[in-house]
Amino acid sequence: MTQMFQHAFMTMPDGEVVDSALVWRSGACGQLRLTAGRCATGRGEAMLSARAAGPYRVRLGSELALGAGRMVRVVGVYLPRDASATYWFDRDYFQSAPALQGPARIPAVFVARSTFRSVPPDALVRASVDYPLDPSRIRLADVRRVEAQVAAVRTRFTSGEVFQVGTDLSAVLRQAAAQRRSVEIGAAAVTGQLVLLGWLVLFVVTADAVEARGAELAAAKLRGFSRAALWRFGLTEPLLLIGVALPTGIVLASGGAALFAALALAPDTPVAVPVGSVVAAIGAAAGGLVAAAAAARRVLLRPVLEQWRRTGDPAPAGARLLALEVVVAVVAVAGLVLLRSVPDVPGGLLVAPALLVLAVALLGARLVPRAAGLLVAPTRATRRIGLFLASRQVARRPAGLRLIALLTAAVGLACFGVAGEDVAAGNRAARAEAELGAATVVSVPFDQTADPVAVTRRVDPDGRWAAAAATWLPYGGASLRGTLLAVDADRLASVATAARDLPSPARLASLLRAGTVPALRVVGTRLQARITTDALGRAGGAQVAFDLTDSSGRSLQVTSGPLRLGVHDYTATMPCTDGCGFTGITWARPGVEDGVFSGDVTLTGIAAGSPDALRQLPARTTQARAWRAAITTGGAVDRVRVTAAGVQDRFSADDGASSAIAYRSTAVPLPVVAAPAAVVSGIAAADRRIEDDTGAAAAIRIVDTRALLPVVLDQGAVADLTSIRQQVPDFDEDADWQVWLSPSAPADAVRRLEAAGLTVQHVETATDRVARLAREAPALSLLLLLVAAFIGALLAMAATAVAIAASARRRSYEAAALAVIRVPRPALHRAAVLEQLLLLGAAVVLGLPAGLAAALVVLPVLPEFATPTPIPLHYLPAPPSLLAFTALFVVLVTVTAFLAATQVLRAARPSRLREDAG
């Protein structure tokens, strides 16, 4: 709860009256960091902001007058721990403003609740109650109830003059519901792909398991087992496995969902197992039963003699299987066409990539045996016994064909998942970098006592890791649309992020500094210029005034003596022990004298330092590009010419104006780089300008247009911060300020900014922005697809191991028979390895291009963000990711091939033939 006296005019100890908010907020002491004193707990006690305590010389125990004889005593000095914390509800308790048309505004003065009895009786005190939402207590089933409760409260107090209710909860819940629906559709499509792959795995495993028991089934038939008994005998093991897998899968799914939520969702996201998930698991198990029955059917119905055979040619593919392959291919093509042509892509069409990969897998299962058969004749009766045996086995093995289809589908889906997540991650990073501008962005308010530019330059004097920036919406000028981003161009190249598809920070800095020379920095308490005066019309007595900018970039002027004929040194005292920028020299008209004011002067050198140690500065007095006539008000004319002798200015001024020369450390007109949509057409270059809220205008020059720019993207422009502050008087107060930090910033950079006087409102890193984008519905769908793809790949590899183990016993008889007829054992080993490499390698060779093709076709039409962005999205996966993925599967295939070959040959002893005979 909060009680607040919005405008409390207080008299400070030095007698100055300031405006502040007198605030009591429950729990405030826990959210404030006391730099001195203690928390205000008693009546008449107060805590003052450190931003105000220093400038107004307030000490602990000082009393602040509220009027009508009422006082509060300062017992603590504070800084906010986090001005952007949820606790503050985005209220401006810590803003300050200079005294322009009234008293200066200082940050809130926090008091005990009892202190409100001391405020003037006619004061307008506002009480507010903030109700934060506890997401951990909200479930999907509660959303409608919460919406109804909020609507009822708003309806009750809609017409009240005393009580007012404001909330954005309904909009947040609607947005969350929309994203939830999107995730549910994507999750259903991804789960469907995984279930289909699981059924295919179960089909292959069951077929291999029943195939391995063919001899036992034949014996059972001869013993007179009924058909029902045979089915029970063949399916008992698969049914038991499915029965165990159902509860185990539910438990593992619950744990996997919790792990996924912990890694991919917001912290403390609750995870529950809804009834729908259990129903889906039961449905998947039922489908598994059907797959197992279909796989066992062909073996159970095979004649006894054929079951006893150790080898056999594959039965020709039936019409039903061919029809199934045609249907899958047609549906895959239709799905891809819809994906490319329908603007709003239904999430269910995420199955199209899986269908495309499955179509390639089925086609590969038909083509690989035929390709292997082409190797049989050329290798028959040659020394290449290993290749002959391997190609013959691949050409005649039905189990191998099932394995090719399974592994091709798994590899293709995994490749699609890897490519999709890699592309999405790259696009998320590109968007985050473009929208933020730097690796870390610290939002701060403008405060004259802690100027963001001055603080930044003080904590990072070398300009290597910190730079001030600000966004501003021009009030007028009719030359630009959108937001103007002002950046410290001198530090931009070192601090800003080089975002993809945006101009490089170095290039942008050079454009913003076009027509300028490096700033001339003066340090010390004395500034001196050597000037030769050849003529003084009515300019006798004109003052030599040095134009400077302080460490924050704000303009100041220090005055020397009057101009005199001849060569003289003109010296002024300056407050620049921390450094200032030299911007020019003004020939200031004395007093209020009117009439024509003219002269002929030449500047030959500038020096700065202490009274007893002046140092000559590189003022470039012989370089024409370094000096120009200053833009002044009134009827001043300066004819500036730079020669080997120095900077010559033949000036004249009328109507009370003064003349001046300017050092080109800032450009006039103001150079601006704009997005094409931000440039108002039909305005002459000489008439382009921007205005602040007072009507003060600054001329601008569009030096370049770029499709995208940092922060403002395609709806704004970028200018140099120092230049715009000098030319737009109210920019500081109207702009939203930031401090950009580079990746090389020290770990305590934010704390250094706070220690230097800045109030940190919010800190956001590019990593934070990427993480937030990754929690949006489209990103979660792609991530689920990746997880499902790898689970499918693991299932496929497990099925491969089962298939190899199931066929090892039968293959060992064949190898033993070949060994008896003296086929060399190395040749048998090579044959076994080559056979597995042909099968498994074919799956990799077919699956990788299929998955990549699916990614290239499908990803451009799948949404990657919940909100639109002008950032160009790239859809080609990074080569390192694909190479790493390919290398992983090549290693797995090679290791599997060698292990399988070794297992077969280890059992291929001649004695095995006698065992079988026995």
Side-chain angles (χ1 to χ4, degrees):
M1 184 174 179
T2 303
Q3 283 184 303
M4 180 169 64
F5 180 18
Q6 183 69 42
H7 291 286
F9 294 99
M10 306 178 185
T11 303
M12 307 302 278
D14 62 359
E16 183 172 350
V17 176
V18 299
D19 179 18
S20 182
L22 201 66
V23 177
W24 168 80
R25 188 171 176 86
S26 56
C29 290
Q31 302 293 325
L32 300 174
R33 179 166 58 88
L34 292 173
T35 60
R38 60 176 175 82
C39 181
T41 57
R43 182 174 179 176
E45 295 180 345
M47 293 182 294
L48 187 68
S49 168
R51 306 285 184 264
Y56 293 101
R57 299 179 177 86
V58 178
R59 303 176 182 275
L60 294 179
S62 297
E63 291 189 332
L64 312 179
L66 298 179
R70 295 171 173 83
M71 311 286 288
V72 292
R73 182 169 56 89
V74 176
V75 298
V77 178
Y78 75 86
L79 285 173
R81 293 185 183 277
D82 182 2
S84 63
T86 305
Y87 170 84
W88 300 112
F89 268 70
D90 290 332
R91 302 188 191 280
D92 296 333
Y93 292 118
F94 309 108
Q95 295 284 7
S96 60
L100 296 177
Q101 298 179 348
R105 177 83 174 176
I106 65 172
V109 176
F110 287 90
V111 298
R113 189 176 188 179
S114 57
T115 301
F116 275 86
R117 301 171 187 169
S118 302
V119 301
D122 57 345
L124 178 61
V125 177
R126 184 179 67 188
S128 62
V129 180
D130 298 323
Y131 289 96
L133 178 70
D134 185 358
S136 64
R137 299 180 61 184
I138 301 295
R139 296 293 186 269
L140 295 177
D142 300 327
V143 171
R144 291 187 178 180
R145 176 177 57 82
V146 172
E147 287 181 324
Q149 291 173 345
V150 171
V153 172
R154 299 190 69 171
T155 301
R156 179 179 178 184
F157 295 106
T158 296
S159 58
E161 297 181 358
V162 177
F163 298 102
Q164 296 179 350
V165 177
T167 179
D168 292 328
L169 181 59
S170 298
V172 171
L173 291 177
R174 285 194 299 271
Q175 184 180 8
Q179 295 215 30
R180 177 173 59 85
R181 286 192 295 270
S182 178
V183 169
E184 287 176 345
I185 294 173
V190 170
T191 303
Q193 296 181 49
L194 187 58
V195 169
L196 289 174
L197 186 59
W199 287 344
L200 182 58
V201 168
L202 191 60
F203 178 87
V204 172
V205 170
T206 303
D208 287 337
V210 177
E211 187 88 37
R213 302 182 65 181
E216 299 173 6
L217 289 170
K221 288 181 180 180
L222 291 177
R223 291 175 182 269
F225 277 52
S226 65
R227 177 169 295 186
L230 288 174
W231 276 97
R232 286 196 302 272
F233 182 70
L235 290 178
T236 298
E237 291 180 357
L239 292 179
L240 287 175
L241 290 175
I242 293 174
V244 173
L246 178 59
T248 304
I250 293 176
V251 173
L252 291 177
S254 177
L259 179 62
F260 182 88
L263 297 177
L265 303 181
D268 301 323
T269 299
V271 177
V273 180
V275 176
S277 298
V278 178
V279 173
I282 295 174
L289 293 177
V290 175
R297 178 178 179 276
R298 188 166 62 90
V299 178
L300 291 173
L301 300 180
R302 186 185 300 167
V304 173
L305 292 179
E306 186 175 341
Q307 285 180 330
W308 268 342
R309 294 176 60 187
R310 300 292 178 200
T311 61
D313 294 330
R320 293 180 181 178
L321 181 58
L322 180 60
L324 174 63
E325 295 175 8
V326 171
V327 169
V328 169
V330 170
V331 172
V333 172
L336 294 176
V337 171
L338 285 174
L339 281 172
R340 300 292 295 184
S341 58
V342 177
D344 297 325
V345 182
L349 289 180
L350 281 171
V351 299
L355 293 175
L356 174 62
V357 171
L358 184 58
V360 173
L362 295 175
L363 178 63
R366 286 182 172 273
L367 294 181
V368 170
R370 288 166 173 76
L374 297 177
L375 298 175
V376 174
T379 57
R380 182 182 291 121
T382 67
R383 292 177 177 268
R384 292 173 289 179
I385 299 175
L387 183 58
F388 168 73
L389 294 174
S391 59
R392 176 61 181 156
Q393 286 290 345
V394 172
R396 70 186 180 90
R397 282 184 58 194
L401 306 186
R402 292 192 295 266
L403 201 58
I404 290 174
L406 172 63
L407 284 177
T408 299
V411 172
L413 288 177
C415 180
F416 177 80
V418 169
E421 183 59 24
D422 181 78
V423 165
N427 288 334
R428 287 195 294 268
R431 177 172 179 173
E433 292 170 350
E435 290 178 347
L436 287 182
T440 302
V441 175
V442 183
S443 298
V444 298
F446 180 79
D447 190 333
Q448 287 185 333
T449 63
D451 184 283
V453 176
V455 169
T456 301
R457 292 178 178 177
R458 189 161 62 250
V459 299
D460 178 26
D462 297 328
R464 296 179 179 178
W465 52 266
T471 56
W472 178 65
L473 191 64
Y475 282 82
S479 298
L480 290 176
R481 301 185 186 94
T483 301
L484 182 67
L485 170 68
V487 294
D488 192 339
D490 291 334
R491 295 169 173 243
L492 189 64
S494 300
V495 177
T497 299
R500 191 182 73 190
D501 297 314
L502 269 66
S504 69
R507 175 57 180 164
L508 193 57
S510 67
L511 290 171
L512 299 180
R513 301 285 294 167
T516 65
V517 295
L520 183 61
R521 181 175 172 81
V522 295
V523 180
T525 59
R526 291 290 188 274
L527 182 61
Q528 185 181 90
R530 177 158 294 183
I531 299 173
T532 302
T533 305
D534 295 321
L536 284 175
R538 291 186 56 195
Q543 299 291 313
V544 176
F546 297 102
D547 300 317
L548 307 172
T549 57
D550 61 18
S551 57
S552 66
R554 299 182 69 87
S555 299
L556 62 94
Q557 192 176 73
V558 293
T559 303
S560 179
L563 279 173
R564 294 170 291 164
L565 290 173
V567 180
H568 297 281
D569 291 330
Y570 297 86
T571 304
T573 300
M574 61 178 183
C576 296
T577 53
D578 292 332
C580 293
F582 176 86
T583 60
I585 300 177
T586 297
W587 323 117
R589 179 185 292 270
V592 292
E593 183 178 346
D594 293 328
V596 178
F597 177 73
S598 62
D600 187 349
V601 297
T602 301
L603 172 68
T604 58
I606 299 175
S610 61
D612 55 352
L614 291 175
R615 182 175 60 87
Q616 289 296 318
L617 301 178
R620 295 179 172 83
T621 56
T622 60
Q623 299 179 17
R625 66 187 185 93
W627 295 87
R628 60 172 173 81
I631 296 178
T632 58
T633 58
V637 176
D638 290 88
R639 298 176 179 84
V640 177
R641 186 167 65 95
V642 180
T643 66
V647 183
Q648 182 184 30
D649 181 22
R650 293 181 177 177
F651 65 88
S652 63
D654 202 352
D655 299 330
S658 296
S659 291
I661 57 176
Y663 187 71
R664 289 184 183 269
S665 56
T666 59
V668 177
L670 180 69
V672 170
V673 180
V679 180
V680 178
S681 59
I683 298 178
D687 296 332
R688 292 194 177 275
R689 67 187 189 280
I690 52 177
E691 295 178 0
D692 63 15
D693 57 347
T694 67
I700 64 171
R701 177 168 62 96
I702 308 297
V703 296
D704 197 6
T705 56
R706 295 297 179 102
L708 292 171
L709 293 167
V711 182
V712 298
L713 303 181
D714 63 341
Q715 297 294 324
V718 182
D720 175 52
L721 180 60
T722 301
S723 300
I724 197 172
R725 295 185 78 189
Q726 293 179 10
Q727 300 177 43
V728 180
D730 270 14
F731 176 86
D732 288 351
E733 304 298 335
D734 294 336
D736 293 320
W737 285 84
Q738 302 170 340
V739 176
W740 290 5
L741 304 178
S742 75
S744 63
D748 63 341
V750 175
R751 186 172 296 277
R752 293 188 191 186
L753 294 173
E754 289 181 313
L758 289 182
T759 298
V760 174
Q761 295 176 317
H762 182 63
V763 178
E764 184 174 15
T765 67
T767 303
D768 296 335
R769 181 67 63 88
V770 169
R772 191 165 74 246
L773 293 172
R775 291 195 293 266
E776 293 180 346
L780 290 176
S781 296
L782 286 173
L783 183 58
L784 283 172
L785 183 60
L786 175 64
V787 173
F790 271 98
I791 293 175
L794 291 176
L795 288 175
M797 296 306 298
T800 301
V802 172
I804 291 174
S807 64
R809 185 170 182 269
R810 177 178 58 82
R811 297 301 314 285
S812 67
Y813 288 110
E814 300 171 359
L818 291 172
V820 168
I821 62 175
R822 297 185 178 181
V823 175
R825 195 170 186 83
L828 292 176
H829 191 268
R830 285 196 300 272
V833 172
L834 286 173
E835 178 186 350
Q836 299 300 328
L837 287 178
L838 285 174
L839 290 173
L840 305 180
V844 175
V845 171
L846 292 171
L848 286 175
L852 184 59
L856 294 177
V857 173
V858 173
L859 290 178
V861 294
L862 290 181
E864 293 189 27
F865 302 107
T867 55
T869 176
I871 303 296
L873 303 182
H874 294 191
Y875 300 104
L876 188 64
S881 299
L882 291 180
L883 291 176
F885 173 76
T886 303
L888 174 63
F889 265 94
V890 168
V891 170
L892 288 176
V893 165
T894 304
V895 171
T896 303
F898 273 93
L899 291 178
T902 302
Q903 181 182 1
V904 170
L905 289 182
R906 184 179 293 119
R909 301 183 304 273
S911 59
R912 179 168 288 278
L913 298 177
R914 292 193 296 272
E915 293 172 5
D916 184 57

